[in-house]
């Protein structure tokens, strides 16, 4: 863990004196916050982190082990020190759209853009619990903003299906959190300005068309939004002396590259939760068509380019490297939240974090078996340190239902689900999905080809063409096939399942190894 | 109807446009049954409810009630376009007879271009100021500077203005531009962001003696004042900020004076209360929206002079009308063609026309990304230089009224100052004195103040192209960078960009092709075909070939340009570059220049009509619709007659019915 004390030393406070950007924002801010009276109520905060472009399933999937004793996959390695603090989920399928533009919104609502029901789950939570904090919910876009493809950049949608643009500039986020509406007297002044505008507008009628009148209603809705948010800011639980202290600090957030911006956004999320500025936030770390280069971490390629790896196998190491780096950022967030006291426990315990991508396979854009991690204690409600793979595919939307419930927002339904998901707040204890009935063996074999049935596995040390078929006698039949053979059969999708395979084999050192597959049949469960 | 042409620059065309637009193109009535018969017999075998090739089901079009605006409009547009261009039926099928083609086109024209046999302009959407327009407008009406200094010195980053960081950029609509009224109508304005921006601007205004002098004729806002003086100040402020007629301004003046009185009784401070009222004015719908008086009509009627003045100045300048334009609006003279035209000419002579290049061209060609999207950031000098080369190129098209086609290939360009100075390359400057004079105003705000050579920045220079490597905007470093990844070029990406952006060809991947997975899944579940069959089905589709035939040569022809736009003969791995290819018309090229000339041979008309279409959409703040076709065709034909000159496009758009009229339903 990066820090193990709750209190950050005072020496890190660099008030006013040309704050260096090398220091994480949290270090700069912590003395001010730590010295303020912390509030007694310890609400649960929701954070959604979206990382587009999917994964290479081979590098993501956790195979074997039990619910509580399992080996992290290659992409999950950065989380090894906090394995007890995460819940890795498998076999949850989404509906909606896996289109580049549509995937982020689909992740948040389990609907597609054209469904006109994009009210995202974080906003459903914010509408319920966001009215006691200065900011109802905070949307962040850490990835570069692709203006010409607007939906790419947007995760959250409000109850009227209005897209909520993410703030992209960390400094502006900081100002929004601690400066804008907190300024002394500004709230009253703005309310009075808006009162005046309403008065003039209603007293002077104008010959506008019925159509224009409807458009202007949006304007007056927006006035009401500002009024409501000011009301909230007035009653907020954030201590007044904290506001005064924070408004004095200028962190001069000049962030250079994408990596620094992502870090700054994560710092801001922690800061927002810590100061109870908001309890709901969503952050776009990478969109699903991200043309952003990861050269800051030594990958000289666009994320989206390397995610379409099927016809271009040589990009796979770079693809994994970026995904591993992203998991590392989740680790950073977990560490930060764990290092901060919140009531009787830590901020981590009182947070609920959903981490994931809107698609599974970076090239196929599949919506099945999404890569998902739930972390944060959820106020003690989430049972962490587990890997739950649902024996039968479940709607991903059910996970959203459960997350909303943990956040105190019991919805009747979202997307294609009206049910909660078992195995989140309690142990799943699923029976093994693939019981060995003694039939896992080489079924037939001639001089060149064989057919065998067994449980397909991979190992994280193995290279990408290497699979093992576990047989009933506890031996493993090796499968080493060319990449395109794997891809054409979508073979990696069968990992963790019982399959019957037919293919050409070679004998090396007395052991049979399948070197080319011709047919793959999945056991129907 | 034939129209005789007069002197090109001053021809009065409005009357002619109106006459043309009110005339249906076809002398006889179009017949639904004829069109339906063609669709049924020639299209449905591949595109009925069951076959749905490329995901397209045309069977609903056989119902006459689906031939009016609504759910099936876009499908009809697609069908008409395919039929008119001869792109469907596909080449292996028999081509449509002329009469079959005409039957479809005529029915479309009757149903979607005309309404009840008459041309119309569709309901006029309500325009709201974009962030860019708001920043410009606040600067002008308050006589202050909000944008970051264009370039004092070169630093390590591109600084954003305070307004830009307070307000995230607007979401572009289907027109491709962020001033799209339909998009803006569908979204709530964020009054929190707007009011913070306004508050910030007023803070600067009230502390600047020059600004208050210019706007209110006083060096500072008075702490104490008598009633009549206050009325005068509010009146002066309203005059600059509100785009409405005198009567309306008077009403507003009364209302705001009342609010002032109420406020000052509590604040006991004139200055404070005045600023309070100014803030109300600047966040009021009157200021943020471009409200127009409605006559509640479903046929086009002219807007008032004041309204036209606002439309014109936001089109050409992205800001509020200046005094002269406002005056012509107030007295109604702007409604006369010759006044309107002379105002257009005057406005295009003003440095404020640079907004067209910044805002219109910046979004259309996408080069504004060089300043706003950090993915493209190299260092401040490089980004500014590449941005400015295109910005000034585009501005030169307007300043010197050059041809649209120069965008593809020209014998002049703007070249970055650092390239001229550092390498002593033998560039010939074009008419340096005239450029200097013409840009005196523009440049004054953009000249570097630093003497330090390393920090100094000078704007690009108008020069003659030196060799085959230069010319046009599509091979500028800016565009070459924006259409490549940082580390490698992609011929497909560049080819698609040219087809989409410059030629105006909408390329849609056929919906069932890209997802190999889905194709396989469906096939596997249904018939269990072999993998080879699936893959073959995927790559050998005729749809792929027909588009890639057009895409690939355009991109391959630009391989000599590295992602930075620098000329190269080899790839980084030392393999030589072969920038040769075959255009869809069978002609071959061996250099980028040859490719661009062939591009013009084939697509000249497309490039011109796409330019018109893009600018038309930007001017109106909405995407073009079938009912705009009459105006668009008339503009395009005038532009063509006029040697594709850019200012003819601008003038013709301003004179069009869509620009000068409104319609409520």
């Amino acid at each position: 863990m990066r820090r193990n004390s709750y209190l950050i030393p005072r020496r890190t406070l660099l008030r006013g004196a040309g704050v260096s950007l090398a220091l994480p924002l949290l270090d700069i801010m912590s003395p001010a916050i730590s010295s303020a009276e912390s509030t007694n109520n310890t609400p649960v905060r929701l954070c959604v982190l979206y990382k587009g472009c999917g994964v290479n399933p081979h590098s993501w999937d956790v195979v074997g082990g039990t619910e509580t004793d399992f080996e992290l996959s290659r992409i999950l390695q950065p989380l090894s020190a906090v394995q007890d603090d995460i819940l890795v989920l498998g076999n949850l399928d989404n509906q909606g759209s896996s289109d580049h533009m549509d995937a982020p919104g689909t992740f948040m609502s389990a609907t597609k853009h054209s469904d006109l029901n994009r009210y995202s789950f974080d906003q459903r939570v914010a509408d319920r619990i966001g009215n006691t904090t200065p900011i109802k919910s905070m949307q962040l876009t850490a990835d570069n903003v692709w203006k010409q493809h607007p939906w790419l950049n947007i995760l959250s949608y409000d109850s009227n299906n209005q897209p909520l643009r993410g703030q992209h500039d960390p400094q502006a986020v900081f100002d929004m959190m601690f400066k804008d509406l907190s300024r002394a007297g500004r709230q009253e002044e703005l309310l009075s300005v808006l009162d005046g505008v309403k008065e003039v507008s209603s007293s002077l009628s104008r010959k506008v068309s019925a159509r224009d009148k409807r458009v202007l209603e949006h304007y007056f809705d927006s006035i009401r939004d500002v009024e409501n948010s000011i009301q909230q800011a007035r009653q907020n639980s954030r201590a007044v002396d904290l506001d005064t202290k924070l408004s004095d600090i200028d962190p001069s957030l000049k962030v250079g590259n994408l990596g620094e911006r992502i870090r700054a956004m994560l710092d801001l999320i922690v800061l927002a939760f810590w100061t109870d500025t908001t309890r709901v936030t969503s952050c776009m770390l990478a969109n699903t068509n991200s043309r952003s280069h990861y050269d800051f971490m030594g990958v000289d390629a666009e994320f989206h380019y390397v995610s379409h790896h099927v016809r271009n196998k040589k990009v796979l190491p770079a693809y994994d490297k970026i995904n591993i780096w992203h998991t590392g950022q989740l680790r950073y967030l977990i560490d930060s939240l764990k290092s901060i006291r919140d009531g009787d426990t830590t901020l981590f315990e009182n947070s609920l974090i959903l981490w994931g991508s809107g698609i599974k396979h970076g090239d196929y854009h599949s919506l099945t078996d999404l890569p998902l991690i739930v972390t944060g204690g959820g106020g003690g409600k989430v049972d962490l340190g587990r890997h739950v793979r649902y024996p039968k595919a479940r709607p991903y939307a059910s996970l959203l239902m459960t997350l909303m419930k943990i956040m105190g927002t019991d919805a009747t339904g979202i997307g294609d689900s009206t049910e909660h998901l078992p195995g989140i707040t309690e142990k799943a204890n699923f029976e093994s999905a693939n019981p060995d009935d003694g039939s896992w063996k080489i079924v037939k074999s001639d001089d060149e080809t064989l057919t065998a049935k067994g449980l397909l596995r991979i190992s994280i040390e193995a290279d990408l063409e290497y699979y093992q078929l576990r047989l009933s006698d506890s031996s493993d039949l090796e499968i080493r096939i060319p990449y395109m053979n794997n891809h054409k059969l979508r073979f990696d999708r069968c990992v963790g399942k019982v399959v019957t395979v037919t293919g050409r084999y070679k004998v090396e050192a007395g052991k049979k190894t399948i070197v080319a597959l011709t047919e793959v049949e999945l056991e129907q469960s | 109807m034939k129209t005789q042409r007069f002197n090109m620059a001053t021809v009065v065309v409005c009357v002619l446009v109106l006459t043309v637009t009110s005339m249906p193109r076809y002398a006889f009535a179009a017949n639904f049954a004829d069109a339906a018969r063609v669709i049924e017999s020639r299209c449905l075998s591949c595109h009925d409810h069951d076959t749905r090739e490329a995901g397209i089901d045309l069977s609903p079009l056989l119902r006459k009630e689906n031939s009016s605006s609504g759910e099936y409009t876009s499908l009809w547009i697609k069908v008409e376009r395919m039929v008119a261009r001869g792109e469907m039926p596909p080449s292996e099928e028999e081509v449509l007879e002329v009469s079959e083609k005409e039957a479809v086109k005529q029915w479309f024209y009757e149903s979607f271009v005309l309404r009840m046999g008459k041309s119309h302009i569709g309901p006029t959407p309500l325009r709201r100021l974009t962030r860019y327009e708001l920043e410009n407008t606040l600067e002008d009406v308050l006589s202050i500077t909000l944008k970051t200094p264009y370039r004092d010195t070169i630093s390590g980053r591109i600084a954003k203005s305070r307004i830009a960081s307070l307000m995230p950029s607007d979401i572009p609509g289907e027109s491709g531009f962020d001033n799209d009224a339909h998009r803006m109508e569908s979204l709530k304005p964020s009054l929190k962001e707007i009011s913070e921006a306004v508050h910030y601007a007023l803070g600067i205004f009230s502390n600047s003696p020059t600004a208050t002098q210019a706007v209110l004729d006083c060096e500072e806002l008075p702490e104490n004042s008598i009633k009549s003086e206050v009325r005068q100040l509010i009146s002066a402020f309203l005059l600059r900020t509100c785009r409405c007629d005198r009567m309306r301004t008077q009403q507003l003046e009364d209302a705001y004076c009342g609010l002032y009185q109420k406020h000052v009784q509590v604040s006991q401070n004139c200055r404070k209360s005045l600023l309070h009222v100014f803030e109300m004015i600047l966040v009021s719908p009157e200021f943020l929206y471009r409200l127009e008086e409605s006559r509640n009509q479903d046929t086009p009627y002219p807007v008032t002079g004041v309204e036209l003045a606002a439309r014109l100045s936001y089109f050409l300048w992205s800001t509020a009308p200046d005094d002269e334009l406002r005056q012509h609006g107030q007295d109604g003279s702007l409604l006369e063609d010759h006044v309107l035209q002379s105002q257009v000419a005057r406005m295009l002579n003003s440095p404020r026309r640079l907004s067209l290049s910044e805002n219109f061209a910046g979004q259309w060609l996408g080069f504004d990304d060089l300043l706003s999207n950090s993915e493209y950031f190299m260092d401040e000098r490089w980004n500014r230089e590449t941005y400015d080369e295109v910005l000034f190129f585009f501005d030169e098209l307007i300043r010197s009224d050059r041809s649209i086609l120069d965008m593809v290939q020209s014998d002049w360009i703007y070249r970055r100052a650092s390239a001229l100075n550092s390498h002593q390359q033998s560039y010939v400057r074009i008419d340096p004195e005239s450029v200097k004079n013409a840009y005196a105003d523009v440049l004054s705000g953009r000249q570097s103040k630093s003497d330090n050579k390393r920090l100094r920045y000078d704007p690009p220079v108008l020069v003659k192209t030196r060799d085959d490597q230069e010319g046009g905007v599509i091979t500028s470093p800016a565009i070459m960078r924006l259409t490549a990844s940082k580390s490698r070029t992609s011929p497909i990406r560049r080819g698609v960009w040219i087809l989409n952006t410059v030629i105006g060809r909408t390329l849609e991947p056929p919906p069932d092709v890209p997802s190999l997975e889905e194709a396989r899944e469906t096939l596997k579940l249904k018939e269990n075909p072999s993998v080879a069959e699936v893959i073959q089905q995927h790559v050998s589709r005729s749809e792929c070939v027909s588009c890639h035939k057009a895409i690939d040569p355009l991109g391959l022809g630009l391989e000599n340009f590295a992602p930075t736009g620098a000329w190269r003969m080899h790839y980084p791995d030392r393999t030589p570059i072969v920038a040769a290819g075959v255009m869809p018309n069978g002609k071959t090229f061996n250099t980028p220049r040859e490719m661009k000339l062939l591009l013009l041979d084939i697509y000249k008309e497309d490039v011109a009509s796409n330019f018109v279409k893009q600018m038309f959409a930007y001017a109106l703040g909405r995407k073009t619709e079938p009912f705009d076709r009459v105006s668009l065709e008339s503009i395009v034909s005038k532009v063509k007659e006029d040697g594709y000159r850019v200012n003819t496009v601008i003038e013709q758009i301003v004179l069009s019915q869509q620009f000068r009229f409104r319609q409520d339903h």
Side-chain angles (χ1 to χ4, degrees), chain A residues 10-171:
Chain A
R10 267 184 186 278
R11 63 176 172 78
T12 51
L13 175 62
L14 298 173
R15 191 177 303 206
V19 177
S20 143
L21 60 127
L23 267 179
L25 184 59
L26 287 179
D27 288 343
I28 301 167
M29 302 296 292
S30 51
I33 303 166
S34 305
S35 60
E37 278 298 311
S38 74
T39 53
N40 280 330
N41 62 356
T42 49
V44 182
R45 288 83 152 182
L46 175 68
C47 169
V48 187
L49 298 174
Y50 183 88
K51 176 215 76 70
C53 292
V55 292
N56 170 23
H58 204 118
S59 309
W60 170 273
D61 289 333
V62 172
V63 181
T66 66
E67 186 175 342
T68 50
D69 182 13
F70 57 98
E71 201 179 341
L72 291 172
S73 63
R74 197 185 335 222
I75 295 177
L76 296 175
Q77 284 304 315
L79 297 168
S80 57
V82 292
Q83 188 167 350
D84 288 347
D85 297 312
I86 58 170
L87 169 57
V88 183
L89 298 171
N91 220 7
L92 295 178
D93 296 356
N94 201 0
Q95 60 155 19
S97 169
S98 62
D99 181 85
H100 293 135
M101 309 300 148
D102 222 351
T106 299
F107 186 73
M108 301 298 285
S109 62
T111 59
K112 53 177 182 282
H113 203 96
S114 51
D115 286 347
L116 295 176
N117 184 16
R118 288 232 123 181
Y119 189 14
S120 54
F121 87 99
D122 63 317
Q123 289 307 303
R124 294 172 195 237
V125 172
D127 285 342
R128 180 66 74 87
I129 68 162
N131 55 1
T132 50
T133 52
I135 297 173
K136 189 163 98 177
S137 72
M138 205 162 77
Q139 289 69 240
L140 308 172
T141 303
D143 198 355
N144 294 309
V145 176
W146 304 89
K147 200 179 164 194
Q148 289 167 340
H149 303 294
W151 313 129
L152 265 185
N153 311 308
I154 290 165
L155 283 167
S156 301
Y157 290 76
D158 74 10
S159 57
N160 298 312
N161 297 315
Q162 297 247 333
L164 301 174
R165 289 169 304 170
Q167 260 294 1
H168 178 61
D169 178 353
Q171 182 69 52

Side-chain angles (χ1 to χ4, degrees), chain B residues 464-635:
Chain B
K464 284 206 166 104
T465 51
R466 279 181 319 162
D467 49 43
D468 277 9
Q469 302 172 10
E470 296 173 340
V473 83
I474 63 173
T475 48
S476 64
I479 301 300
M480 290 296 87
R481 172 66 190 92
L482 291 163
T483 55
S485 120
K486 204 183 277 183
S487 45
R488 56 177 201 105
T489 56
S490 157
I492 306 289
R493 201 183 278 182
R494 284 182 175 167
V496 167
W497 185 86
I498 293 180
L499 273 173
N500 271 336
T501 310
V502 181
I503 296 171
R505 184 75 48 95
T506 9
L507 293 170
E508 298 169 56
D512 54 348
V513 167
S515 174
L516 205 53
E517 177 194 28
E518 276 169 35
R520 181 177 294 105
E521 293 284 304
T522 8
L523 288 168
K524 203 167 195 168
L525 288 175
K526 279 181 182 164
E527 292 148 4
N528 203 19
S530 79
V531 172
E533 279 172 328
V534 177
I535 297 292
Q536 193 172 358
Q537 160 151 8
H538 175 68
V539 295
S540 67
R541 302 177 71 100
S542 60
E543 296 101 296
C544 302
V545 179
S546 70
C547 283
H548 278 274
K549 213 167 103 182
I551 296 167
D552 301 353
L554 296 173
L556 286 169
L558 302 177
E559 280 293 88
N560 281 124
F561 295 98
T564 55
W567 183 265
R568 62 180 182 181
M569 301 294 284
H570 295 91
Y571 288 105
D573 67 2
R574 306 308 300 156
T575 47
I577 283 162
V578 184
V582 187
M583 293 296 263
N585 66 356
K587 292 195 177 161
T588 56
F589 61 84
N590 289 302
T591 66
R593 186 186 152 84
E594 285 173 18
M595 187 278 285
K596 288 193 281 186
L597 295 177
L598 286 178
L599 189 162
L600 283 179
D601 266 1
I602 304 171
Y603 300 111
K604 185 157 62 178
E605 309 270 308
D606 299 275
V607 171
S609 49
N610 181 49
F611 185 103
V612 169
K613 201 175 144 183
Q614 297 289 343
M615 194 179 253
F616 192 80
Y618 172 79
L620 299 177
R622 60 170 175 81
K623 74 170 176 49
T624 56
E625 300 279 358
F627 50 72
D628 295 319
R629 194 178 278 195
V630 186
S631 291
L632 282 171
E633 282 173 0
S634 141
I635 296 170

Side-chain angles (χ1 to χ4, degrees), chain B residues 104 183-184 235 276 376 378 380 430 480 517 572 604 649:
Chain B
V104 172
R183 171 76 72 230
M184 292 190 109
S235 162
H276 190 74
Y376 298 112
M378 191 117 75
E380 190 185 2
I430 297 174
M480 290 296 87
E517 177 194 28
K604 185 157 62 178
V649 180

